[in-house]
Amino acid sequence: MSASSIPTTMQAVVMHGPEDYRLEQLPVPTPAADELLIRVEAVGVCASDLKCYHGAAKFWGDENRPRWVQEGITPGHELVGEVVAGSDEALARHGLAFGDRIACEQIVPCGECMYCTRGWYWMCGPHDMFGFKHYNGAMAEYMIVPALARAHRVSKDIPAHHAAFSEPLSCSLHAVERAQLTFDDVVVIAGCGPIGLGAVIGASHKTPKQVIALDFDDDKLALAKKCGADLTLNPGTVDVEAEIKALTGGYGADVYIECTGHPSAVSQGLNLLRKLGRFVEYSVFKDPVTVDWSIISDDKELDVLGAHLGPHCWPAAIGIIESGVLPMDEICTHQYGLADVQQALDQVGDSSGASVKVSIVPGL
């Protein structure tokens, strides 16, 4: 795209407060000397986008906790777009050329704090992220890619909304990496939404002894099978703990990866793990979670691990999607235009389970 073909104005979703998102006509931003401009092709709508929309802090019952909504900022961090403008310096910095399609990691690390200088960029102290703090996100026709962003090239041979799935998949792969899977492990993954399905994909690529997926939705369990699960169980119809202990000689699973964000799934995991098992938590909870910590310590001596973002997993996530092995049309279930952002948010919040990955495609 030549500079002359870039319009002067664009449509963008702008946050004005909790449950007050507006589609506005804004100037197309001009990149600084070290920045790039991309034409947004697709942006996934994350559960964290929905929590942000509703105000986030009120879910924890703590009004002192800062709200995620930043007035005047455009949301959207599961993004993919085409590089359309920028200096030679900015292109060289990211190893890109005009016309390249890129996905960006959701965090824009400062590069200077203790975490960044020790190589832990995904835990950056300032923790600026697209759409949540100081950087506009991708629910817009165009978006600035700042100098400190971490960009990854993605093939143009796949649909844009499939390419945008690289963000949640990288997060899932990081959760799987945290679990340190071995060939002998029985791995249980709770939840078959986008993150849970990604964990199934990542775990199956590690070839443990068995990957077991849990969900209350039989259609999502069927999709988990297509993504690599060896066994699926519906907690609404079977005693999951009893089933897994029967499969493991009464011991329990080696690894449990929690991807539901529901408090009951935490105690479920602690109970069905064997002694010395590994519990990985990825979810963002809307309600407080209370568990019997004696299970973690005195009873089982469990390793409890958190996971955040998708560091170092982006090339693998993109490669898996580009390989064509995943049922991407069944994972990416709903696409909306920018004008339908409210429908997209409502779709993510729909408890009926009708959607898996919801995306906004500005061209629609």
Side-chain angles (χ1 to χ4, degrees):
M1 178 180 287
S2 67
S4 60
S5 61
I6 299 173
T8 57
T9 63
M10 67 174 185
Q11 287 191 318
V13 176
V14 180
M15 298 185 286
H16 287 270
E19 301 182 6
D20 186 6
Y21 285 18
R22 307 173 196 173
L23 184 64
E24 299 181 0
Q25 196 78 12
L26 301 176
V28 172
T30 300
D34 58 355
E35 297 176 335
L36 297 173
L37 180 71
I38 63 170
R39 178 181 61 81
V40 178
E41 295 181 274
V43 55
V45 183
C46 178
S48 63
D49 287 313
L50 185 65
K51 291 180 174 71
C52 181
Y53 171 75
H54 285 301
K58 68 182 180 182
F59 286 124
W60 283 273
D62 180 3
E63 291 304 318
N64 294 318
R65 189 181 182 108
R67 293 184 182 274
W68 292 356
V69 171
Q70 300 291 312
E71 187 173 350
I73 295 291
T74 293
H77 61 279
E78 298 182 5
L79 62 100
V80 65
E82 178 189 4
V83 178
V84 295
S87 67
D88 291 342
E89 170 196 344
L91 291 167
R93 182 184 185 95
H94 295 288
L96 298 171
F98 293 129
D100 283 347
R101 170 188 278 177
I102 60 171
C104 291
E105 298 193 29
Q106 58 280 74
I107 192 166
V108 184
C110 73
E112 298 177 353
C113 70
M114 180 191 74
Y115 300 102
C116 287
T117 56
R118 292 188 182 184
W120 305 325
Y121 73 91
W122 66 100
M123 298 304 298
C124 171
H127 221 72
D128 284 327
M129 300 179 72
F130 287 113
F132 286 114
K133 282 198 173 182
H134 305 112
Y135 293 103
N136 283 316
M139 292 187 190
E141 293 181 289
Y142 291 87
M143 191 193 84
I144 291 289
V145 176
L148 293 173
R150 301 175 70 92
H152 302 272
R153 191 180 290 106
V154 188
S155 171
K156 288 189 170 183
D157 293 333
I158 59 176
H161 57 289
H162 292 183
F165 188 67
S166 56
E167 192 277 344
L169 182 54
S170 71
C171 293
S172 301
L173 297 189
H174 177 51
V176 170
E177 289 287 83
R178 292 283 282 162
Q180 303 175 53
L181 301 188
T182 72
F183 295 127
D184 290 330
D185 283 336
V186 172
V187 183
V188 177
I189 296 164
C192 294
I195 296 297
L197 287 174
V200 168
I201 292 163
S204 66
H205 276 69
K206 293 284 190 179
T207 61
K209 179 185 290 184
Q210 191 171 34
V211 177
I212 302 172
L214 311 180
D215 202 282
F216 287 94
D217 187 318
D218 287 333
D219 290 335
K220 288 182 178 176
L221 290 175
L223 183 53
K225 274 271 192 180
K226 295 180 182 180
C227 289
D230 301 302
L231 175 67
T232 60
L233 297 173
N234 186 328
T237 58
V238 300
D239 184 333
V240 168
E241 183 181 346
E243 289 283 333
I244 290 171
K245 288 190 173 177
L247 288 168
T248 56
Y251 290 104
D254 302 282
V255 175
Y256 182 85
I257 303 177
E258 201 291 299
C259 302
T260 72
H262 195 281
S264 65
V266 178
S267 56
Q268 171 183 260
L270 296 178
N271 289 327
L272 63 78
L273 278 170
R274 63 162 169 81
K275 295 178 181 180
L276 301 174
R278 302 186 296 286
F279 185 115
V280 179
E281 180 57 62
Y282 197 90
S283 299
V284 177
F285 292 88
K286 75 172 186 177
D287 297 307
V289 180
T290 301
V291 297
D292 180 358
W293 275 73
S294 294
I295 298 173
I296 298 168
S297 57
D298 191 50
D299 291 356
K300 294 186 177 181
E301 195 177 321
L302 300 177
D303 288 337
V304 179
L305 302 161
H308 177 59
L309 305 187
H312 310 301
C313 294
W314 283 76
I318 291 168
I320 291 171
I321 294 170
E322 290 178 343
S323 73
V325 300
L326 301 180
M328 290 303 302
D329 285 331
E330 295 179 64
I331 295 171
C332 298
T333 52
H334 293 74
Q335 296 84 49
Y336 296 93
L338 279 170
D340 299 319
V341 62
Q342 187 63 56
Q343 286 179 255
L345 289 164
D346 292 344
Q347 187 71 63
V348 174
D350 182 1
S351 60
S352 70
S355 66
V356 181
K357 184 72 255 176
V358 176
S359 303
I360 291 174
V361 179
L364 289 180

